Amino acid sequence: RGAMGDDAAQRIIDDFVAAMLKGKRLPVLRSDGVESTSLVQMDKDVTCLTITVGSRRETILLETVGQITMGEEVPEGYPALWVDELCVTLALEDTGEAVAFRFEDMEDRDTFALCTGMFVDQRRQAMEGGEGEEEWYEEDEAYEEGHAEDAEEYCDEEEAPEAQEPAAPRVEAPSTAKAGGALATPPPPKPTSLPAGPT
């Protein structure tokens, strides 16, 4: 059942990306009160949204989206928009503005909000963790190679037990302290007292 759910979710994401690559004509609302029907698209790498109105084109990098709200809710700290229950609003950190899209039904609204939010998170994580990532992998590979060499040396030493001092008996498993029927190490002497005898 979980696998079927994952497959269904993946189909929703794939259909969303395919539709956004072609572009959707949506009413776009801005804080200045202007509403225009625009062509909204995503690039093939799913890194940005492009809003085209006539000859004017605006690109929104997904990593600059700070908040995503649905319905009549407006992102905190941003100018109010005339949004309704069919809207999704993006708060843009780089410009301090907000832009909203109005959809035909709740299902399209929710799909856009959830998928876009997922891609925004991926982009922000990639931007935050991308620096030094290649260097980290190189260091990790060098560590693994060095660790493997240490392991080989350790195995070589283990193959030559005569060069090692005999191990002390393990308290939790006394039987392992025996070798060939004799104690590997002599037991500690017991305290004794000399019998009284003639001087």
Side-chain angles (χ1 to χ4, degrees), residues 169 177 182-191:
L183 290 176
T185 55
K190 296 182 180 179

Side-chain angles (χ1 to χ4, degrees), residues 108-148:
D108 284 349
R109 182 203 71 173
D110 293 349
T111 299
F112 179 88
L114 294 174
C115 291
T116 301
M118 179 185 67
F119 293 135
V120 167
D121 289 342
Q122 290 179 354
R123 284 299 298 164
R124 292 174 76 91
Q125 291 174 6
M127 296 298 292
E128 292 173 0
E131 297 181 0
E133 184 175 358
E134 182 177 353
E135 181 179 352
W136 183 86
Y137 278 118
E138 291 176 354
E139 291 179 353
D140 187 60
E141 289 176 358
Y143 168 79
E144 290 181 354
E145 290 177 359
H147 188 68

Side-chain angles (χ1 to χ4, degrees), residues 82-105:
W82 294 97
V83 292
D84 55 38
E85 63 179 6
L86 294 176
C87 290
V88 174
T89 305
L90 309 182
L92 311 180
E93 293 181 337
D94 57 340
T95 63
E97 298 179 354
V99 58
F101 307 95
R102 181 180 287 118
F103 295 86
E104 294 182 355
D105 53 48

